[in-house]
Amino acid sequence: MGRTFIRAPSESPMPSRWPPTWLSAPALSHALWHGRSVRAQLLIVFVVIDVIAGLVAGAVTILQARASTRVEIAASMELAELLVSEAVALMQQEIPAEKFLGDLSSQLRLVRHVRIVVKDATGSPLVPRGAVSASDTARDDRAPAWFAALIAPPIASRDMPVIVNAARVGSVEIVAEPRDEIAEAWGNTVALAAVALGVNILVIGILYILFGRVLGPLSGIIRGLADLEQRNYRVRLPRPRAKELAAITDRFNALAQALDALRAENEKLNHRLITAQHDERRRTALELHDEVGPNLFGLKANAASIATAAASLEDQAARKMTERVRDMLAIIERLQSINRSMLNRLRPMALGHVPLREILCELVRDRARQYPQIDFSISAHNLTRSYGDSVDLTIYRCTQESLTNVIRHAQAKHVTIELAEAMVEANGSANGVLQLALTVRDDGRGIDPSVPPGFGLRGMQERVQALSGSCKVDSASGCGTSIRIVIPLGEKRS
Protein backbone atom coordinates (compact mmCIF):
# COMPACT_ATOMS: atom_id res chain seq x y z
CA MET A 1 0.00 0.00 0.00
CA GLY A 2 1.13 3.50 -0.69
CA ARG A 3 1.78 5.96 2.10
CA THR A 4 0.49 9.48 2.39
CA PHE A 5 2.72 11.95 4.23
CA ILE A 6 1.25 15.11 5.70
CA ARG A 7 3.69 17.85 6.55
CA ALA A 8 3.27 19.15 10.07
CA PRO A 9 2.74 22.91 10.49
CA SER A 10 6.09 23.22 12.22
CA GLU A 11 7.75 21.70 9.17
CA SER A 12 6.61 24.40 6.78
CA PRO A 13 9.45 25.64 4.63
CA MET A 14 11.21 28.72 5.96
CA PRO A 15 11.37 31.76 3.70
CA SER A 16 14.64 32.05 1.91
CA ARG A 17 17.07 34.55 3.37
CA TRP A 18 19.76 34.25 0.71
CA PRO A 19 21.66 36.29 0.03
CA PRO A 20 22.22 37.75 3.50
CA THR A 21 22.09 41.51 3.89
CA TRP A 22 25.83 41.78 4.42
CA LEU A 23 26.45 39.89 1.19
CA SER A 24 24.01 41.87 -0.92
CA ALA A 25 25.40 43.54 -4.03
CA PRO A 26 25.13 47.16 -2.79
CA ALA A 27 26.72 46.30 0.56
CA LEU A 28 29.49 44.31 -1.08
CA SER A 29 30.09 47.09 -3.60
CA HIS A 30 30.31 49.68 -0.81
CA ALA A 31 32.68 47.50 1.22
CA LEU A 32 35.00 46.79 -1.70
CA TRP A 33 34.89 50.15 -3.46
CA HIS A 34 33.11 53.17 -2.00
CA GLY A 35 34.58 52.89 1.47
CA ARG A 36 38.19 52.91 0.29
CA SER A 37 40.70 55.63 -0.48
CA VAL A 38 41.48 56.89 -3.98
CA ARG A 39 44.83 55.12 -3.87
CA ALA A 40 43.14 51.81 -3.00
CA GLN A 41 40.51 52.31 -5.70
CA LEU A 42 43.17 52.97 -8.34
CA LEU A 43 45.11 49.91 -7.23
CA ILE A 44 41.92 47.81 -7.31
CA VAL A 45 41.22 49.00 -10.86
CA PHE A 46 44.78 48.15 -11.87
CA VAL A 47 44.59 44.70 -10.23
CA VAL A 48 41.24 43.96 -11.93
CA ILE A 49 42.63 45.01 -15.31
CA ASP A 50 45.75 42.99 -14.59
CA VAL A 51 43.70 39.90 -13.71
CA ILE A 52 41.62 40.28 -16.88
CA ALA A 53 44.81 40.71 -18.93
CA GLY A 54 46.28 37.64 -17.22
CA LEU A 55 43.19 35.58 -18.02
CA VAL A 56 43.31 36.71 -21.65
CA ALA A 57 47.05 36.02 -21.82
CA GLY A 58 46.49 32.59 -20.26
CA ALA A 59 43.76 31.77 -22.77
CA VAL A 60 45.99 32.87 -25.66
CA THR A 61 48.89 30.84 -24.24
CA ILE A 62 46.72 27.74 -23.95
CA LEU A 63 45.41 28.15 -27.50
CA GLN A 64 48.92 28.63 -28.87
CA ALA A 65 50.25 25.67 -26.86
CA ARG A 66 47.36 23.54 -28.08
CA ALA A 67 48.02 24.48 -31.70
CA SER A 68 51.77 23.94 -31.40
CA THR A 69 51.22 20.59 -29.68
CA ARG A 70 48.98 19.41 -32.50
CA VAL A 71 51.49 20.54 -35.09
CA GLU A 72 54.32 18.85 -33.19
CA ILE A 73 52.39 15.60 -32.77
CA ALA A 74 51.39 15.57 -36.44
CA ALA A 75 55.00 16.15 -37.47
CA SER A 76 56.18 13.40 -35.13
CA MET A 77 53.62 10.99 -36.58
CA GLU A 78 54.77 11.76 -40.11
CA LEU A 79 58.41 11.43 -39.07
CA ALA A 80 57.70 8.10 -37.43
CA GLU A 81 55.97 6.84 -40.57
CA LEU A 82 58.89 7.98 -42.70
CA LEU A 83 61.40 6.30 -40.38
CA VAL A 84 59.47 3.06 -40.41
CA SER A 85 59.30 3.09 -44.19
CA GLU A 86 63.01 3.88 -44.52
CA ALA A 87 63.97 1.29 -41.93
CA VAL A 88 61.96 -1.40 -43.65
CA ALA A 89 63.46 -0.47 -47.02
CA LEU A 90 67.03 -0.49 -45.70
CA MET A 91 66.71 -3.70 -43.70
CA GLN A 92 65.14 -5.93 -46.35
CA GLN A 93 67.77 -8.65 -46.27
CA GLU A 94 67.65 -12.31 -45.84
CA ILE A 95 67.71 -12.40 -42.05
CA PRO A 96 65.37 -14.06 -39.64
CA ALA A 97 62.11 -12.21 -39.09
CA GLU A 98 62.49 -12.05 -35.31
CA LYS A 99 65.92 -10.47 -35.53
CA PHE A 100 64.67 -8.05 -38.17
CA LEU A 101 61.72 -6.95 -35.99
CA GLY A 102 63.97 -6.63 -32.94
CA ASP A 103 66.44 -4.46 -34.80
CA LEU A 104 63.52 -2.38 -36.15
CA SER A 105 62.27 -1.80 -32.60
CA SER A 106 65.74 -0.67 -31.55
CA GLN A 107 65.98 1.75 -34.48
CA LEU A 108 62.66 3.43 -33.69
CA ARG A 109 62.92 3.75 -29.90
CA LEU A 110 64.26 7.35 -29.92
CA VAL A 111 61.41 8.92 -31.87
CA ARG A 112 59.74 11.64 -29.67
CA HIS A 113 56.06 12.35 -29.08
CA VAL A 114 54.97 8.94 -30.34
CA ARG A 115 54.77 5.43 -28.91
CA ILE A 116 55.90 2.76 -31.41
CA VAL A 117 54.88 -0.84 -30.83
CA VAL A 118 56.45 -3.50 -33.08
CA LYS A 119 54.30 -6.60 -33.51
CA ASP A 120 55.09 -9.96 -34.98
CA ALA A 121 53.15 -11.76 -37.71
CA THR A 122 50.58 -12.99 -35.18
CA GLY A 123 49.94 -9.47 -33.91
CA SER A 124 51.65 -9.95 -30.55
CA PRO A 125 53.74 -6.92 -29.47
CA LEU A 126 57.43 -7.35 -28.95
CA VAL A 127 59.04 -5.99 -25.74
CA PRO A 128 60.28 -2.49 -26.71
CA ARG A 129 63.85 -1.72 -25.90
CA GLY A 130 63.17 1.98 -25.70
CA ALA A 131 60.47 1.83 -23.05
CA VAL A 132 59.65 5.03 -21.25
CA SER A 133 61.79 5.36 -18.17
CA ALA A 134 60.65 6.35 -14.70
CA SER A 135 62.26 9.78 -15.10
CA ASP A 136 60.31 10.36 -18.30
CA THR A 137 57.14 9.32 -16.56
CA ALA A 138 57.82 11.72 -13.70
CA ARG A 139 58.54 14.45 -16.23
CA ASP A 140 55.35 13.68 -18.12
CA ASP A 141 53.27 13.71 -14.94
CA ARG A 142 54.33 17.29 -14.06
CA ALA A 143 51.45 18.83 -16.02
CA PRO A 144 48.15 18.84 -14.10
CA ALA A 145 45.20 16.98 -15.54
CA TRP A 146 43.16 20.12 -16.31
CA PHE A 147 46.04 21.61 -18.31
CA ALA A 148 46.61 18.37 -20.17
CA ALA A 149 42.88 18.20 -20.98
CA LEU A 150 43.03 21.71 -22.49
CA ILE A 151 46.22 21.10 -24.47
CA ALA A 152 46.06 17.46 -25.54
CA PRO A 153 45.12 16.82 -29.19
CA PRO A 154 42.97 13.84 -30.23
CA ILE A 155 44.91 10.58 -29.88
CA ALA A 156 46.00 9.42 -33.37
CA SER A 157 46.96 5.83 -34.09
CA ARG A 158 48.31 4.25 -37.26
CA ASP A 159 49.18 0.59 -38.09
CA MET A 160 51.84 0.03 -40.75
CA PRO A 161 52.59 -3.53 -42.05
CA VAL A 162 56.21 -4.70 -42.29
CA ILE A 163 56.74 -6.60 -45.57
CA VAL A 164 60.10 -8.18 -46.29
CA ASN A 165 60.68 -10.04 -49.54
CA ALA A 166 56.98 -9.83 -50.39
CA ALA A 167 56.07 -11.51 -47.13
CA ARG A 168 54.41 -9.84 -44.12
CA VAL A 169 56.60 -10.51 -41.15
CA GLY A 170 54.88 -8.14 -38.71
CA SER A 171 53.49 -4.64 -38.22
CA VAL A 172 54.32 -1.36 -36.52
CA GLU A 173 51.68 0.54 -34.51
CA ILE A 174 52.35 4.28 -34.17
CA VAL A 175 50.39 5.98 -31.38
CA ALA A 176 50.60 9.72 -30.60
CA GLU A 177 52.10 10.45 -27.13
CA PRO A 178 51.73 14.23 -26.37
CA ARG A 179 52.59 13.96 -22.66
CA ASP A 180 56.16 15.15 -22.93
CA GLU A 181 55.09 18.03 -25.21
CA ILE A 182 52.33 18.97 -22.76
CA ALA A 183 54.84 18.84 -19.90
CA GLU A 184 57.16 21.12 -21.83
CA ALA A 185 54.31 23.55 -22.54
CA TRP A 186 53.30 23.45 -18.86
CA GLY A 187 56.87 24.24 -17.80
CA ASN A 188 57.03 27.21 -20.16
CA THR A 189 53.64 28.44 -18.96
CA VAL A 190 54.63 28.19 -15.29
CA ALA A 191 57.90 30.04 -15.92
CA LEU A 192 56.10 32.77 -17.85
CA ALA A 193 53.41 33.07 -15.16
CA ALA A 194 56.05 33.31 -12.41
CA VAL A 195 57.88 36.07 -14.26
CA ALA A 196 54.59 37.90 -14.96
CA LEU A 197 53.52 37.56 -11.32
CA GLY A 198 56.81 38.93 -10.05
CA VAL A 199 56.73 41.82 -12.50
CA ASN A 200 53.12 42.65 -11.59
CA ILE A 201 53.86 42.57 -7.86
CA LEU A 202 56.79 44.91 -8.46
CA VAL A 203 54.61 47.21 -10.60
CA ILE A 204 51.85 47.25 -7.96
CA GLY A 205 54.39 48.19 -5.29
CA ILE A 206 55.78 50.97 -7.48
CA LEU A 207 52.27 52.23 -8.25
CA TYR A 208 51.40 52.14 -4.56
CA ILE A 209 54.34 54.42 -3.79
CA LEU A 210 53.70 56.68 -6.79
CA PHE A 211 49.97 56.99 -6.05
CA GLY A 212 50.85 57.88 -2.47
CA ARG A 213 53.18 60.65 -3.62
CA VAL A 214 50.80 61.95 -6.27
CA LEU A 215 47.69 61.81 -4.08
CA GLY A 216 49.49 62.96 -0.94
CA PRO A 217 48.25 66.55 -1.34
CA LEU A 218 44.66 65.26 -1.02
CA SER A 219 45.39 64.27 2.59
CA GLY A 220 46.74 67.77 3.17
CA ILE A 221 43.56 69.24 1.70
CA ILE A 222 41.46 67.06 4.01
CA ARG A 223 43.45 68.24 7.03
CA GLY A 224 43.13 71.83 5.79
CA LEU A 225 39.35 71.48 5.51
CA ALA A 226 39.28 70.12 9.06
CA ASP A 227 41.21 73.21 10.18
CA LEU A 228 38.71 75.44 8.39
CA GLU A 229 35.92 73.57 10.16
CA GLN A 230 37.66 74.39 13.45
CA ARG A 231 37.79 78.05 12.32
CA ASN A 232 41.53 78.01 11.81
CA TYR A 233 41.53 80.23 8.74
CA ARG A 234 45.27 80.86 8.78
CA VAL A 235 46.08 77.43 7.41
CA ARG A 236 47.85 77.39 4.04
CA LEU A 237 48.73 74.36 1.92
CA PRO A 238 51.95 73.92 -0.09
CA ARG A 239 51.40 73.95 -3.84
CA PRO A 240 51.89 70.48 -5.37
CA ARG A 241 53.40 69.87 -8.80
CA ALA A 242 50.38 68.12 -10.31
CA LYS A 243 48.39 70.63 -12.35
CA GLU A 244 44.93 69.59 -11.18
CA LEU A 245 45.92 69.30 -7.51
CA ALA A 246 47.77 72.61 -7.75
CA ALA A 247 44.57 74.29 -8.98
CA ILE A 248 42.58 72.77 -6.09
CA THR A 249 45.25 73.88 -3.59
CA ASP A 250 45.26 77.41 -5.02
CA ARG A 251 41.48 77.64 -4.65
CA PHE A 252 41.73 76.29 -1.10
CA ASN A 253 44.37 78.83 -0.10
CA ALA A 254 42.33 81.62 -1.68
CA LEU A 255 39.25 80.48 0.24
CA ALA A 256 41.18 80.30 3.51
CA GLN A 257 42.65 83.76 2.91
CA ALA A 258 39.19 85.20 2.16
CA LEU A 259 37.72 83.58 5.28
CA ASP A 260 40.63 84.86 7.34
CA ALA A 261 40.07 88.38 6.03
CA LEU A 262 36.33 88.17 6.70
CA ARG A 263 36.96 86.89 10.20
CA ALA A 264 39.39 89.71 10.90
CA GLU A 265 36.88 92.25 9.60
CA ASN A 266 34.11 90.63 11.61
CA GLU A 267 36.23 90.70 14.74
CA LYS A 268 36.92 94.39 14.21
CA LEU A 269 33.23 95.10 13.75
CA ASN A 270 32.32 93.06 16.83
CA HIS A 271 35.00 94.77 18.84
CA ARG A 272 33.73 98.17 17.74
CA LEU A 273 30.18 97.09 18.58
CA ILE A 274 31.17 95.89 22.03
CA THR A 275 33.16 99.07 22.59
CA ALA A 276 30.19 101.19 21.52
CA GLN A 277 27.92 99.21 23.85
CA HIS A 278 30.34 99.66 26.71
CA ASP A 279 30.59 103.39 26.02
CA GLU A 280 26.81 103.71 25.90
CA ARG A 281 26.44 101.78 29.13
CA ARG A 282 29.12 103.90 30.74
CA ARG A 283 27.33 107.10 29.73
CA THR A 284 23.99 105.73 30.89
CA ALA A 285 25.51 104.66 34.20
CA LEU A 286 27.09 108.08 34.66
CA GLU A 287 23.78 109.78 33.97
CA LEU A 288 21.97 107.54 36.42
CA HIS A 289 24.67 108.14 38.99
CA ASP A 290 25.09 111.87 38.42
CA GLU A 291 21.50 112.86 37.62
CA VAL A 292 19.00 110.35 38.96
CA GLY A 293 20.93 109.63 42.16
CA PRO A 294 21.18 113.25 43.37
CA ASN A 295 17.55 113.94 42.47
CA LEU A 296 16.39 110.94 44.47
CA PHE A 297 18.57 112.12 47.35
CA GLY A 298 17.00 115.58 47.08
CA LEU A 299 13.52 114.11 47.14
CA LYS A 300 14.44 112.11 50.21
CA ALA A 301 15.83 115.23 51.95
CA ASN A 302 12.72 117.26 51.11
CA ALA A 303 10.50 114.49 52.36
CA ALA A 304 12.45 114.45 55.63
CA SER A 305 12.08 118.22 55.96
CA ILE A 306 8.35 117.92 55.38
CA ALA A 307 8.18 115.34 58.14
CA THR A 308 10.03 117.78 60.46
CA ALA A 309 7.61 120.62 59.56
CA ALA A 310 4.61 118.38 60.11
CA ALA A 311 5.64 117.86 63.70
CA SER A 312 4.58 121.49 64.53
CA LEU A 313 1.03 121.06 63.20
CA GLU A 314 -2.07 119.72 64.92
CA ASP A 315 -2.09 116.09 65.87
CA GLN A 316 -4.45 114.85 63.19
CA ALA A 317 -2.84 116.83 60.37
CA ALA A 318 0.62 115.89 61.57
CA ARG A 319 -0.30 112.24 61.64
CA LYS A 320 -1.61 112.34 58.08
CA MET A 321 1.43 114.19 56.74
CA THR A 322 3.77 111.83 58.58
CA GLU A 323 2.07 108.84 56.96
CA ARG A 324 2.35 110.42 53.51
CA VAL A 325 6.00 111.31 54.12
CA ARG A 326 6.68 107.72 55.23
CA ASP A 327 5.14 106.40 52.00
CA MET A 328 7.17 108.86 49.96
CA LEU A 329 10.40 107.79 51.70
CA ALA A 330 9.62 104.12 51.04
CA ILE A 331 9.06 104.87 47.34
CA ILE A 332 12.26 106.91 47.17
CA GLU A 333 14.26 104.14 48.82
CA ARG A 334 12.77 101.67 46.36
CA LEU A 335 13.79 103.91 43.45
CA GLN A 336 17.28 104.23 44.90
CA SER A 337 17.55 100.44 45.14
CA ILE A 338 16.42 100.08 41.53
CA ASN A 339 18.90 102.76 40.49
CA ARG A 340 21.77 100.97 42.24
CA SER A 341 20.74 97.66 40.66
CA MET A 342 20.64 99.23 37.20
CA LEU A 343 24.03 100.84 37.78
CA ASN A 344 25.48 97.47 38.78
CA ARG A 345 24.02 95.74 35.73
CA LEU A 346 25.17 98.44 33.36
CA ARG A 347 28.64 98.79 34.81
CA PRO A 348 30.10 98.05 38.24
CA MET A 349 31.13 101.38 39.64
CA ALA A 350 34.39 99.96 40.97
CA LEU A 351 35.43 98.76 37.51
CA GLY A 352 38.42 100.77 36.34
CA HIS A 353 39.07 102.15 39.81
CA VAL A 354 39.66 98.90 41.73
CA PRO A 355 41.93 96.06 40.49
CA LEU A 356 40.12 93.34 38.58
CA ARG A 357 41.14 90.67 41.06
CA GLU A 358 39.55 92.54 43.99
CA ILE A 359 36.32 93.09 42.05
CA LEU A 360 36.04 89.37 41.29
CA CYS A 361 36.89 88.42 44.87
CA GLU A 362 34.18 90.77 46.14
CA LEU A 363 31.70 89.22 43.69
CA VAL A 364 32.57 85.72 44.94
CA ARG A 365 32.34 86.79 48.61
CA ASP A 366 28.95 88.33 47.94
CA ARG A 367 27.67 85.06 46.40
CA ALA A 368 29.14 83.07 49.29
CA ARG A 369 27.24 85.25 51.80
CA GLN A 370 23.99 84.83 49.86
CA TYR A 371 24.36 81.06 49.39
CA PRO A 372 26.30 79.59 52.33
CA GLN A 373 25.39 76.01 51.34
CA ILE A 374 27.81 76.27 48.39
CA ASP A 375 31.58 76.32 48.83
CA PHE A 376 33.08 79.06 46.61
CA SER A 377 36.83 79.38 46.01
CA ILE A 378 38.76 81.73 43.73
CA SER A 379 42.34 81.69 42.51
CA ALA A 380 43.59 84.85 40.81
CA HIS A 381 47.26 85.76 41.23
CA ASN A 382 49.88 87.77 39.36
CA LEU A 383 47.28 89.70 37.39
CA THR A 384 47.56 93.15 35.95
CA ARG A 385 45.51 95.80 37.71
CA SER A 386 43.33 96.26 34.62
CA TYR A 387 43.23 94.90 31.07
CA GLY A 388 41.01 97.62 29.67
CA ASP A 389 37.31 98.28 30.07
CA SER A 390 36.24 95.73 27.44
CA VAL A 391 38.29 92.82 28.82
CA ASP A 392 37.61 93.65 32.48
CA LEU A 393 33.87 93.96 31.93
CA THR A 394 33.76 90.75 29.85
CA ILE A 395 35.59 88.76 32.54
CA TYR A 396 33.36 90.21 35.22
CA ARG A 397 30.12 89.51 33.33
CA CYS A 398 31.19 85.99 32.37
CA THR A 399 32.07 85.20 35.98
CA GLN A 400 28.79 86.69 37.16
CA GLU A 401 26.72 84.74 34.60
CA SER A 402 28.59 81.48 35.32
CA LEU A 403 27.97 81.78 39.06
CA THR A 404 24.31 82.60 38.43
CA ASN A 405 23.92 79.47 36.29
CA VAL A 406 25.62 77.32 38.92
CA ILE A 407 23.34 78.68 41.68
CA ARG A 408 20.16 78.29 39.63
CA HIS A 409 20.68 75.02 37.83
CA ALA A 410 23.76 73.02 38.86
CA GLN A 411 22.83 71.98 42.43
CA ALA A 412 26.56 72.01 43.12
CA LYS A 413 28.36 71.89 46.45
CA HIS A 414 31.72 73.23 45.31
CA VAL A 415 32.55 75.96 42.78
CA THR A 416 36.09 76.92 41.76
CA ILE A 417 37.01 80.11 39.86
CA GLU A 418 40.48 80.40 38.34
CA LEU A 419 41.83 83.45 36.50
CA ALA A 420 45.40 83.57 35.23
CA GLU A 421 47.60 84.87 32.47
CA ALA A 422 49.09 82.36 30.04
CA MET A 423 51.72 82.71 27.37
CA VAL A 424 51.36 80.64 24.20
CA GLU A 425 53.64 80.51 21.19
CA ALA A 426 52.45 82.24 18.04
CA ASN A 427 52.92 80.45 14.74
CA GLY A 428 55.55 82.12 12.62
CA SER A 429 56.32 84.75 15.22
CA ALA A 430 59.22 85.18 17.58
CA ASN A 431 56.87 86.71 20.12
CA GLY A 432 54.45 84.88 22.36
CA VAL A 433 50.75 85.67 22.63
CA LEU A 434 49.59 86.63 26.10
CA GLN A 435 46.17 85.27 27.02
CA LEU A 436 43.82 85.73 29.92
CA ALA A 437 42.16 82.44 30.88
CA LEU A 438 39.08 82.18 33.10
CA THR A 439 37.84 78.79 34.31
CA VAL A 440 34.67 78.25 36.33
CA ARG A 441 34.26 74.63 37.46
CA ASP A 442 31.53 73.00 39.58
CA ASP A 443 30.61 69.49 40.75
CA GLY A 444 26.92 69.77 39.97
CA ARG A 445 24.59 67.68 37.85
CA GLY A 446 25.99 68.93 34.55
CA ILE A 447 24.26 70.08 31.40
CA ASP A 448 22.00 67.81 29.38
CA PRO A 449 23.49 67.60 25.85
CA SER A 450 20.00 67.58 24.34
CA VAL A 451 19.11 70.94 25.90
CA PRO A 452 20.07 73.94 23.74
CA PRO A 453 22.25 76.63 25.35
CA GLY A 454 20.40 79.43 27.07
CA PHE A 455 20.59 83.16 26.48
CA GLY A 456 23.15 83.63 29.24
CA LEU A 457 25.63 81.17 27.72
CA ARG A 458 25.12 82.54 24.21
CA GLY A 459 25.63 86.05 25.53
CA MET A 460 28.91 84.99 27.13
CA GLN A 461 30.07 83.41 23.88
CA GLU A 462 29.19 86.52 21.90
CA ARG A 463 31.05 88.76 24.33
CA VAL A 464 34.16 86.59 24.23
CA GLN A 465 34.13 86.12 20.45
CA ALA A 466 33.88 89.87 20.00
CA LEU A 467 37.30 90.06 21.69
CA SER A 468 38.72 87.29 19.42
CA GLY A 469 38.51 84.86 22.31
CA SER A 470 37.01 81.42 22.81
CA CYS A 471 34.40 80.07 25.20
CA LYS A 472 34.32 76.29 25.69
CA VAL A 473 31.81 74.41 27.81
CA ASP A 474 32.78 70.93 28.96
CA SER A 475 29.96 69.10 30.64
CA ALA A 476 28.23 65.74 30.90
CA SER A 477 25.06 64.76 32.67
CA GLY A 478 25.90 64.09 36.35
CA CYS A 479 29.59 64.97 35.98
CA GLY A 480 29.65 68.71 36.63
CA THR A 481 30.40 71.59 34.30
CA SER A 482 33.55 73.44 33.34
CA ILE A 483 33.51 76.75 31.45
CA ARG A 484 36.84 77.94 30.08
CA ILE A 485 37.17 81.38 28.56
CA VAL A 486 40.35 82.52 26.83
CA ILE A 487 40.85 86.10 25.65
CA PRO A 488 44.02 87.06 23.75
CA LEU A 489 45.75 90.16 25.05
CA GLY A 490 48.16 90.63 22.15
CA GLU A 491 51.75 89.69 21.38
CA LYS A 492 54.40 89.96 23.99
CA ARG A 493 58.12 89.37 23.75
CA SER A 494 58.81 85.90 25.12
Side-chain angles (χ1 to χ4, degrees):
M1 294 180 62
R3 296 183 182 180
T4 303
F5 294 93
I6 301 177
R7 186 183 297 275
S10 61
E11 299 176 352
S12 59
M14 295 297 291
S16 176
R17 296 184 179 179
W18 183 263
T21 303
W22 60 276
L23 284 179
S24 61
L28 187 61
S29 175
H30 185 274
L32 294 178
W33 182 257
H34 297 289
R36 299 186 180 274
S37 62
V38 177
R39 176 197 282 184
Q41 290 179 351
L42 292 175
L43 289 177
I44 290 174
V45 170
F46 177 80
V47 170
V48 170
I49 295 175
D50 200 21
V51 169
I52 295 175
L55 294 177
V56 173
V60 172
T61 301
I62 289 175
L63 292 176
Q64 289 181 347
R66 184 174 182 179
S68 62
T69 301
R70 293 189 177 189
V71 171
E72 186 72 18
I73 295 301
S76 297
M77 293 288 291
E78 294 179 0
L79 178 62
E81 291 180 8
L82 180 61
L83 290 177
V84 169
S85 301
E86 293 292 336
V88 171
L90 293 175
M91 298 178 65
Q92 289 189 12
Q93 301 174 0
E94 294 181 357
I95 58 176
E98 294 182 358
K99 185 175 184 304
F100 173 79
L101 294 177
D103 292 340
L104 180 60
S105 177
S106 299
Q107 294 292 330
L108 299 177
R109 64 187 179 86
L110 297 178
V111 180
R112 299 184 61 205
H113 307 322
V114 293
R115 178 167 52 87
I116 299 176
V117 180
V118 180
K119 300 178 182 179
D120 57 14
T122 62
S124 300
L126 300 177
V127 178
R129 299 179 183 177
V132 179
S133 63
S135 60
D136 294 336
T137 303
R139 183 193 66 185
D140 295 343
D141 292 340
R142 287 185 302 173
W146 63 268
F147 185 81
L150 294 174
I151 299 299
I155 301 300
S157 176
R158 299 177 186 178
D159 195 359
M160 298 181 60
V162 179
I163 300 174
V164 179
N165 298 327
R168 180 182 177 125
V169 297
S171 62
V172 176
E173 182 182 10
I174 303 174
V175 181
E177 277 291 347
R179 288 183 299 175
D180 52 351
E181 182 67 21
I182 294 175
E184 184 179 352
W186 171 251
N188 294 335
T189 303
V190 170
L192 181 62
V195 173
L197 180 62
V199 171
N200 280 288
I201 292 176
L202 179 62
V203 170
I204 290 175
I206 295 174
L207 289 179
Y208 181 84
I209 298 174
L210 291 179
F211 287 160
R213 293 178 63 87
V214 172
L215 300 176
L218 291 179
S219 300
I221 294 175
I222 293 174
R223 291 191 297 268
L225 292 175
D227 289 336
L228 292 183
E229 186 179 0
Q230 298 297 327
R231 297 184 179 182
N232 179 19
Y233 302 132
R234 295 184 178 180
V235 60
R236 298 293 184 272
L237 300 179
R239 197 173 190 271
R241 296 182 179 180
K243 182 178 179 180
E244 293 80 2
L245 296 179
I248 295 175
T249 302
D250 292 341
R251 300 285 74 77
F252 176 87
N253 291 335
L255 174 62
Q257 185 176 1
L259 291 175
D260 192 18
L262 290 176
R263 182 182 64 175
E265 183 179 358
N266 190 39
E267 289 177 355
K268 291 180 181 179
L269 292 176
N270 288 335
H271 186 73
R272 291 171 59 184
L273 178 61
I274 293 296
T275 303
Q277 290 177 350
H278 290 171
D279 293 341
E280 184 65 24
R281 289 177 179 177
R282 186 189 302 109
R283 287 193 296 269
T284 303
L286 289 176
E287 290 178 0
L288 289 176
H289 181 270
D290 297 338
E291 299 294 337
V292 179
N295 289 331
L296 290 176
F297 180 78
L299 288 175
K300 188 175 183 180
N302 289 329
S305 64
I306 293 174
T308 302
S312 61
L313 299 177
E314 298 179 357
D315 294 340
Q316 186 175 3
R319 187 169 55 254
K320 290 182 179 180
M321 292 185 65
T322 302
E323 291 176 357
R324 298 294 183 272
V325 170
R326 189 182 302 114
D327 294 339
M328 291 175 62
L329 290 175
I331 295 172
I332 293 172
E333 290 179 357
R334 175 61 179 168
L335 291 174
Q336 288 179 332
S337 177
I338 294 174
N339 186 52
R340 286 193 297 270
S341 178
M342 291 178 62
L343 285 173
N344 187 54
R345 286 197 302 270
L346 289 172
R347 176 181 173 85
M349 296 308 298
L351 196 66
H353 304 284
V354 179
L356 178 61
R357 179 181 180 279
E358 296 183 9
I359 297 177
L360 295 179
C361 291
E362 181 60 30
L363 175 63
V364 173
R365 284 193 295 267
D366 183 60
R367 295 296 184 268
R369 287 192 300 267
Q370 295 174 357
Y371 303 94
Q373 72 275 14
I374 303 176
D375 180 23
F376 294 87
S377 63
I378 182 172
S379 174
H381 304 288
N382 301 324
L383 299 178
T384 305
R385 176 183 178 87
S386 176
Y387 296 94
D389 290 346
S390 299
V391 176
D392 290 353
L393 185 57
T394 299
I395 293 295
Y396 180 85
R397 292 304 185 195
C398 290
T399 305
Q400 188 181 45
E401 182 63 28
S402 300
L403 295 179
T404 301
N405 290 336
V406 171
I407 294 169
R408 289 180 179 177
H409 310 293
Q411 299 179 358
K413 296 182 179 180
H414 302 279
V415 182
T416 302
I417 301 96
E418 298 178 358
L419 181 64
E421 293 181 1
M423 181 74 69
V424 296
E425 295 182 357
N427 295 331
S429 176
N431 301 335
V433 176
L434 186 63
Q435 296 180 343
L436 189 62
L438 171 66
T439 304
V440 180
R441 188 180 299 107
D442 67 78
D443 60 352
R445 61 181 183 179
I447 300 176
D448 188 355
S450 61
V451 177
F455 291 104
L457 182 58
R458 288 201 295 267
M460 292 168 53
Q461 293 174 344
E462 291 175 358
R463 285 177 175 271
V464 173
Q465 290 175 0
L467 299 177
S468 302
S470 62
C471 178
K472 182 180 179 182
V473 180
D474 186 10
S475 177
S477 182
C479 299
T481 303
S482 176
I483 299 177
R484 180 171 177 81
I485 295 170
V486 178
I487 299 177
L489 303 176
E491 292 187 358
K492 184 177 181 179
R493 183 71 60 181
S494 59

